[in-house]
């Protein structure tokens, strides 16, 4: 049977009101792409995979959670949803609200959202509100707004988001036949870490796996509250998706790192950009900077001797597509040349 999307494929394993009619764009079932070249650079016998979540309908993993959140919201009678966002949540909420035929309001930090995400939110018809402030300010605003109005909050503080996002762990287990030894992923608001841990914990409980992975969470050095152990009031990083100073799911993610025997670490913007480039140029996987952060941090941990991945299976969650952030993809790269429209000119250029 054709793929039904997250809600109908996994309904029996999700907390969702019985009978809620799925609002879906047939998200999920993303590929677990082997990364053989990068695996070799990590050590002998490493099996490395990217869970390429950029291939979801709006271009990020947020769609897994949003299909469940909007399905539940519509079932509960909501006529409008609201979220704060660094960009991907906004685009995803806008897409699913459009699908449901309800209103969507997104609140974003002015000037700090990648072009393709803003374009998505606008294209899907959301009301886009920019603030003179950070994501963390926006989240406080929409939490309060949802209490003072009929707007339904669809940030990952909404439990339906975690339910949907945990299904990525189910798919990893489907593909590998067990949980991997290591999972590395970027950490912003820490919802996705919470969701993967829930998913792998569910799998262990149902007996589909023999273990849970060691979870390595990675933040950008200029935006690393969980590494520092306190909120950051003015987070800064090229990885704008994870430019978050006070993660809403801090405690749950901290539990995941602790219980799994993993940890949370920081990595520089330069290392993030270098890994994004390596993924694109050595493996053909084009992701936004935030999405390369998990693997960048994991590689750093290996280089420092903090992790020995030899002979192990490693899954890196690649959270969003590179086409969302064309400015960062092209920054610091030579501009394409322009030549006369002749074959001679072309061959001269190729040999240059
Ligand atoms: C590509 O869109 O928070 O730790 O408002 O877009 O679950 O927050 C995005 C987060 C990683 C971090 N990678 O995930 C938003 C937002 C990408 C992201 C994260 C985000 P969480």
């Amino acid at each position: 049977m054709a793929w039904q999307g997250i809600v109908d494929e996994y309904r029996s394993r999700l907390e969702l009101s019985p009978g809620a009619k799925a609002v879906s764009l047939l998200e999920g079932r993303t590929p677990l792409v082997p990364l053989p070249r990068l695996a070799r650079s990590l050590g002998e016998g490493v099996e490395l995979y990217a869970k390429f979540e950029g291939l979801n309908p709006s271009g990020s993993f947020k769609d897994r959670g949003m299909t469940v959140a909007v399905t539940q919201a519509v079932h509960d009678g909501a006529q409008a949803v609201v979220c704060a966002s660094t960009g991907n949540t906004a685009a995803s909420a806008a897409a699913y609200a459009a699908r449901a035929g309800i209103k969507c309001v997104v609140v974003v930090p002015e000037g700090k959202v990648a072009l393709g995400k803003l374009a998505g939110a606008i294209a899907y018809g959301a009301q886009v509100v920019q603030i003179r402030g950070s994501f963390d300010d926006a989240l406080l605003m929409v939490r309060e707004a949802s209490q003072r109005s009929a707007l339904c909050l669809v940030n990952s503080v909404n439990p339906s988001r975690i339910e949907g996002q945990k299904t990525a762990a189910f798919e990893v287990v489907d593909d590998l036949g067990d949980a991997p030894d290591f999972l590395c992923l970027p950490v912003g608001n820490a919802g996705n870490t919470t969701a993967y841990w829930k998913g792998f914990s569910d799998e262990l409980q149902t007996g589909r796996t023999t273990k849970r992975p060691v979870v390595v969470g990675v933040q950008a050095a200029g935006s690393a509250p969980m590494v520092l152990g306190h909120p950051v009031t003015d987070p800064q990083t090229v990885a704008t998706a994870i430019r978050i100073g006070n993660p809403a799911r801090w405690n749950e993610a901290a539990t995941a790192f602790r219980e799994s025997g993993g940890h949370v670490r920081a990595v520089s913007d330069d290392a993030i950009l270098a890994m994004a480039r390596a993924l694109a140029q050595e493996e053909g996987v084009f992701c936004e900077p935030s999405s390369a952060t998990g693997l960048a941090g994991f590689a750093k941990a290996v280089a420092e001797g903090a992790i020995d991945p030899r002979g192990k299976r490693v899954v890196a969650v690649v959270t969003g597509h590179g086409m969302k952030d064309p400015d960062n993809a092209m920054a610091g790269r030579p501009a394409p040349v322009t030549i006369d429209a002749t074959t001679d000119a072309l061959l001269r250029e190729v040999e240059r």
Side-chain angles (χ1 to χ4, degrees), residues 59-62 83-91 117 135 155-156 161 165 185-194 240-242 244 247 288-291 317-321:
S60 82
F61 72 99
K62 305 286 182 182
C83 65
S85 184
T86 58
N88 278 321
T89 299
K117 302 175 189 178
F135 167 85
N155 279 103
S156 64
R161 284 278 312 279
Q165 285 171 214
L185 79 177
V187 178
N189 220 18
N192 213 29
T193 307
T194 302
T240 52
I242 53 172
I244 294 175
E288 58 170 289
S290 302
S291 304
V317 184
V318 175
T319 45
H321 205 288

Side-chain angles (χ1 to χ4, degrees), residues 52 54 276 279-280 283-288 318 320-326 329:
F52 193 13
L279 277 163
E283 301 284 10
V285 173
F286 179 26
C287 69
E288 58 170 289
V318 175
H321 205 288
M323 288 190 285
K324 293 269 192 119
D325 195 348

Side-chain angles (χ1 to χ4, degrees), residues 41-105:
S41 70
L42 288 179
E44 203 173 315
V46 176
E47 248 183 69
L48 177 65
Y49 301 90
K51 181 66 173 159
F52 193 13
E53 290 287 278
L55 296 179
N56 278 297
S58 84
S60 82
F61 72 99
K62 305 286 182 182
D63 293 344
R64 288 180 190 276
M66 207 56 76
T67 181
V68 181
V70 173
T71 294
Q72 184 67 55
V74 169
H75 181 77
D76 294 341
Q79 303 201 344
V81 292
V82 68
C83 65
S85 184
T86 58
N88 278 321
T89 299
S92 184
Y96 285 83
R99 195 75 176 163
I102 62 174
K103 182 181 167 80
C104 178
V105 181

Side-chain angles (χ1 to χ4, degrees), residues 145-321:
S146 69
Q147 281 162 8
R148 285 169 45 184
S149 72
L151 293 167
C152 175
L153 184 62
V154 293
N155 279 103
S156 64
V157 294
N158 179 328
S160 296
R161 284 278 312 279
I162 304 299
E163 285 300 300
Q165 285 171 214
K166 79 181 181 187
T167 62
F170 300 168
E171 293 178 11
V172 169
V173 171
D174 287 342
D175 288 353
L176 295 181
D178 200 346
D181 299 297
F182 292 97
L183 181 84
C184 60
L185 79 177
V187 178
N189 220 18
N192 213 29
T193 307
T194 302
Y196 270 90
W197 191 239
K198 187 155 195 225
F200 283 117
S201 299
D202 285 1
E203 291 285 47
L204 186 66
Q205 203 166 18
T206 58
R208 289 186 74 223
T209 58
T210 61
K211 62 190 171 199
R212 295 183 293 185
V214 173
V215 181
V216 179
V218 187
Q219 302 197 295
S223 179
M226 292 191 67
V227 180
L228 297 171
H230 58 77
V232 173
T233 46
D234 186 23
Q236 294 298 344
T237 171
V238 69
T240 52
I242 53 172
R243 187 174 166 273
I244 294 175
N246 192 12
R249 294 277 186 176
W250 182 313
N251 289 334
E252 291 95 326
T255 300
F257 300 134
R258 193 180 56 248
E259 286 186 357
S260 75
H263 65 279
V264 59
R265 61 171 42 238
V267 71
S268 69
D269 278 6
D270 283 349
I272 291 170
L273 292 173
M275 184 55 78
R277 189 177 297 188
L279 277 163
Q281 298 191 353
E282 293 175 39
E283 301 284 10
V285 173
F286 179 26
C287 69
E288 58 170 289
S290 302
S291 304
T293 300
L295 190 51
F298 189 83
K300 181 164 174 252
V302 172
E304 288 172 357
I307 289 173
D308 181 359
R310 283 174 299 177
K312 304 286 190 193
R313 275 176 161 174
V314 182
V315 170
V317 184
V318 175
T319 45
H321 205 288

